[in-house]
Amino acid sequence: MSRKSIILPKGPKGRSKAHSGSPWIFSNEIRMDEAAKALAPGAVINVRGEDGRSFGTGYFNSKSLIAVRLLADECDVAIDADFFAARLGRALALREALYDKPFYRLCHAEGDGLPGLVIDRFGDTLTVQIGTAGMERQLDAIVAALEKILKPKTIMLRNDAPSRALEGLDAYVKTLKGEATRITVDENGARYNADLAEGQKTGWYYDQRDNRAFAASLAKGKSVLDAFSYTGGFGILAAKVGAKEVVCLDSSAPALAIAEESARTSGVTIKAVRCDVFEELERLKAAGETFDIVLADPPPFVKSKKDLEPGAKAYRKLARLAADVTAPGGFMMVASCSHNIAPERFAQECAQGLQRVGRRAALIRQAGAGADHPVHPLLPESAYLKALFYALD
Ligand code: SAH
């Protein structure tokens, strides 16, 4: 095979990171010689030590800080439709063991052994999100594999994540097969509308499934504030299980319109308010309004490492404001989907926010994303979602 090799020089201790089994190899860990620089972005390569030892098959991008993402433990593994069918078949079997309905994240990148590839499944519709040049080059093989294992009616490409720029990729949305449309998500026994073409990310956030169910388990007969509601993932389920009042807050008018539509389809009532959540929480506090359950699931406040301090402060402020509008004896949740803040730091910021309000709080649930978002054991970065639930006095 004429496949090129990327060489891992020995580090100061004679070891390189790939020894540890991490699927990422950084650009400063490899020998970035002319031969490496000449490789097309995303080219499939072998990774070898200076002594010729095999570290596996991966793909390479000299433009990216994460220069190599490993796909297999052996060198010279063929990366083709059969390879993807095997990996995606394994991912599918896991979801089929977990869920009785075909609504889930089918592929969660490194967690499913496919770095750079995210696929959400909505019945016979799939939304595919490619994050790296290496996966972009494999698109035909990926689609062929999906045809083989699932024969979906619709395949929609949501290749519009801003992070693609780090890989030198452009942003685009495209329907590969069928008609990408408005669909219905069936989750936790509720039905939600979603817009796969215009919605955020892949159109729906499956990661909060279990946390939505937990919040709903507390919600019967209660008033619920769903802050940063997007299309009402938390709020509609709460309304469905019998919350007496549900208010959804979001800055996105299209997202709130879908939330209202889903409420109508589900035969429940919600109040959707377009606002800045921070301003609205200040207003509610000034007006002395409280809710039995306050759920705050904001966008990532720590988008990159340099945002850590301001982002951490924003989580602290959010926890303080959420506590301010939580009724005595109520519950609140603060979530973070930032990769770049560690769970301990996030919990510490929330604790400090609560302390400022002077409310006694008991941490009753610490959770991440659902089981359809598997984490690579040697890549803790892939566990990005953190949700903390507190019971307040
Ligand atoms: N809780 C949602 C997902 C939230 S995603 C679910 O279960 O599906 C974060 C949401 O916050 C997005 O819908 C975005 O429009 C909204 N948002 C971002 N900044 C905001 C702000 N300052 N005020 C109100 N909403 C905001």
Side-chain angles (χ1 to χ4, degrees):
M1 193 176 294
S2 64
R3 188 177 283 175
K4 294 276 191 311
S5 287
I6 290 293
I7 305 300
L8 286 182
K10 288 202 180 90
K13 289 184 190 147
R15 284 172 67 85
S16 59
K17 216 182 169 193
H19 286 86
S20 70
S22 162
W24 289 358
I25 302 174
F26 291 93
S27 55
N28 62 1
E29 295 175 310
I30 66 166
R31 188 187 293 158
M32 191 67 87
D33 52 17
E34 289 312 311
K37 282 189 204 148
L39 287 166
V44 173
I45 42 85
N46 288 327
V47 180
R48 294 191 184 277
E50 281 173 317
D51 53 3
R53 198 180 134 185
S54 158
F55 287 111
T57 298
Y59 58 76
F60 173 73
N61 187 354
S62 65
K63 291 200 178 92
S64 172
L65 199 60
I66 305 167
V68 175
R69 296 184 197 234
L70 287 169
L71 294 163
D73 294 339
E74 320 260 287
C75 281
D76 291 322
V77 170
I79 304 303
D80 53 15
D82 287 342
F83 168 82
F84 284 100
R87 288 284 160 99
L88 290 169
R90 193 171 79 192
L92 176 62
L94 170 62
R95 277 59 177 188
E96 286 178 337
L98 292 167
Y99 306 108
D100 56 7
K101 298 221 173 95
F103 294 87
Y104 39 68
R105 173 148 295 186
L106 170 66
C107 176
H108 190 51
E110 280 83 356
D112 284 298
L114 293 169
L117 180 63
V118 165
I119 305 174
D120 280 349
R121 179 176 187 191
F122 306 92
D124 49 19
T125 296
L126 301 176
T127 52
V128 176
Q129 215 180 18
I130 292 179
T132 57
M135 273 298 156
E136 188 96 353
R137 281 169 78 100
Q138 302 300 332
L139 183 57
D140 290 347
I142 294 165
V143 172
L146 290 172
E147 285 298 332
K148 194 168 159 193
I149 65 162
L150 276 175
K151 296 197 180 38
K153 261 200 198 131
T154 303
I155 304 179
M156 170 90 204
L157 264 182
R158 283 299 305 262
N159 284 346
D160 52 344
S163 56
R164 282 169 57 93
L166 300 173
E167 287 271 329
L169 296 170
D170 57 348
Y172 66 97
V173 174
K174 190 173 160 188
T175 308
L176 285 184
K177 184 184 180 191
E179 231 174 303
T181 43
R182 300 288 294 273
I183 53 101
T184 311
V185 187
D186 193 332
E187 184 194 282
N188 288 320
R191 293 182 83 80
Y192 301 89
N193 297 311
D195 187 329
L196 303 186
E198 304 280 332
Q200 298 173 19
K201 301 279 175 72
T202 62
W204 178 250
Y205 294 102
Y206 275 125
D207 53 0
Q208 290 285 23
R209 175 198 312 254
D210 296 354
N211 298 321
R212 291 177 186 130
F214 181 77
S217 74
L218 304 166
K220 195 167 178 213
K222 300 288 173 29
S223 58
V224 177
L225 184 66
D226 179 359
F228 305 98
S229 66
Y230 183 49
T231 51
F234 283 91
I236 284 162
L237 186 61
K240 199 164 171 280
V241 302
K244 71 169 183 224
E245 180 196 7
V246 174
V247 178
C248 291
L249 309 179
D250 204 281
S251 54
S252 159
L256 289 172
I258 295 179
E260 286 178 317
E261 205 179 281
S262 295
R264 276 194 298 276
T265 334
S266 306
V268 298
T269 309
I270 59 159
K271 187 174 157 199
V273 181
R274 185 180 180 196
C275 61
D276 174 86
V277 164
F278 285 94
E279 286 173 13
E280 181 64 7
L281 291 176
E282 299 273 17
R283 191 195 68 75
L284 289 166
K285 179 188 168 190
E289 283 184 51
T290 58
F291 292 79
D292 299 317
I293 300 177
V294 176
L295 307 162
D297 178 25
F301 291 152
V302 188
K303 286 221 175 73
S304 65
K305 289 212 169 86
K306 68 171 176 24
D307 302 327
L308 179 60
E309 292 312 319
K313 232 168 131 181
Y315 287 120
R316 188 188 312 182
K317 182 174 178 190
L318 182 60
R320 171 169 64 79
L321 291 172
D324 275 329
V325 300
T326 304
F331 297 95
M332 67 174 243
M333 178 201 82
V334 186
S336 163
C337 58
S338 303
H339 294 263
N340 289 306
I341 186 166
E344 301 74 26
R345 178 73 193 270
F346 173 62
Q348 187 193 340
E349 296 303 330
C350 292
Q352 282 173 0
L354 283 159
Q355 204 179 23
R356 278 281 300 280
V357 187
R359 294 281 291 278
R360 204 193 76 85
L363 181 57
I364 56 166
R365 176 180 159 93
Q366 312 175 55
D372 53 348
H373 291 62
V375 174
H376 189 293
L378 292 165
L379 197 66
E381 293 93 328
S382 50
Y384 62 99
L385 187 70
K386 303 163 266 287
L388 302 177
F389 285 81
Y390 300 90
L392 301 192
D393 276 4

